[in-house]
Amino acid sequence: MAAETEKLRIDKYLWSIRLFKTRSLATDACRAGRIKLNGQNIKPSYLVKIGEVYSVQKGIERKIIKVIGLLERRVDAKTAVQFYEDQTPEEETYAFKSVFHAPVLKRDRGTGRPTKKDRREIDDLTSDWLGEDQG
């Protein structure tokens, strides 16, 4: 474990705790404004401090992490978890996971394209399931 006085860039930290597969992906996320500290975008060269809370956006997934320790090198997942605390609200975590368990609408083979009426019915079903308001 690195000492508190050591300097560690945010992109290297996010890579080492396994939030990003490569360091260049972590760097790109910083440049694109997907890594925030107190609502402010931070640069890839920003120095991480213990106790800071970062918001990390990866696609549709959003995580809120608190730095517990600095990790210079990438380690296995079990060890990496000891260097940050995941403060993402449970409802956000479950909302993200539920996207992958969405029901799949299937049509019989050979029925052709849906008619305009069929399409509207399908849209109504999916909007009801997703909780969207059509009004």
Side-chain angles (χ1 to χ4, degrees), residues 49-98:
K49 297 174 190 74
I50 293 177
E52 288 183 329
V53 178
Y54 299 98
S55 175
V56 180
Q57 184 82 31
K58 279 180 57 180
I60 59 172
E61 182 182 14
R62 190 174 139 238
K63 285 190 167 283
I64 299 170
I65 61 163
K66 180 179 181 181
V67 179
I68 295 177
L70 300 180
L71 186 59
E72 191 76 28
R73 293 190 180 128
R74 191 169 169 100
V75 293
D76 62 292
K78 286 183 180 179
T79 308
V81 173
Q82 299 170 1
F83 291 88
Y84 72 95
E85 178 182 321
D86 190 356
Q87 296 183 339
T88 310
E90 283 189 33
E91 53 272 3
E92 277 191 38
T93 304
Y94 291 129
F96 170 70
K97 289 180 181 177
S98 70

Side-chain angles (χ1 to χ4, degrees), residues 2 4 10 14 25 28 40 50 53 61 63-64 70 82 84 90 96 98-99 106-107 116 120-121 128 135:
E4 282 187 44
I10 185 71
L14 294 173
L25 287 175
D28 293 342
Q40 299 291 318
I50 293 177
V53 178
E61 182 182 14
K63 285 190 167 283
I64 299 170
L70 300 180
Q82 299 170 1
Y84 72 95
E90 283 189 33
F96 170 70
S98 70
V99 170
K106 292 188 178 183
R107 293 179 47 84
K116 196 174 214 180
R120 287 183 183 143
E121 289 174 356
D128 288 345

